[in-house]
Amino acid sequence: EVQNMAPTVGPQPSPASINVGRSLRRVQFEQGVTNRAIATVMGVNPVQVVRWRNSEDMKISRVNQLARFFSLSLDEFINAGH
């Protein structure tokens, strides 16, 4: 019996992290904020912001910082991706 083995490319993001990436993209667009501006305030390289936007390498402490950066509660920030 042959099984359909779809190739995987690294770990897949969890639904929660997908929503955080979507939230970041939406809030960033709505407020007109660049990746570079976020990176400067957060003390990271703009490439790291791109990773967050793609739901990669996101830590809860960074989610809290991003919510504060955009003057949103944590719930408001996370729910912006819905």
Side-chain angles (χ1 to χ4, degrees), residues 1-81:
E1 180 176 310
V2 177
Q3 295 181 356
N4 184 5
M5 301 290 282
T8 58
V9 182
Q12 298 299 310
S14 70
S17 67
I18 291 171
N19 287 341
V20 171
R22 186 180 304 140
S23 295
L24 175 55
R25 290 190 306 271
R26 179 170 289 165
V27 173
Q28 187 178 359
F29 174 77
E30 288 173 354
Q31 295 192 17
V33 178
T34 65
N35 289 351
R36 184 169 300 284
I38 295 170
T40 299
V41 170
M42 303 286 279
V44 299
N45 188 296
V47 173
Q48 183 64 43
V49 178
V50 172
R51 288 186 190 120
W52 295 338
R53 287 172 52 94
N54 292 326
S55 302
E56 301 169 7
D57 196 26
M58 179 63 78
K59 296 182 174 85
I60 189 65
S61 61
R62 290 295 191 186
V63 177
N64 282 318
Q65 288 176 321
L66 286 166
R68 284 194 305 269
F69 174 85
F70 289 108
S71 299
L72 299 171
S73 71
L74 184 58
D75 283 344
E76 289 170 328
F77 179 75
I78 291 172
N79 289 324

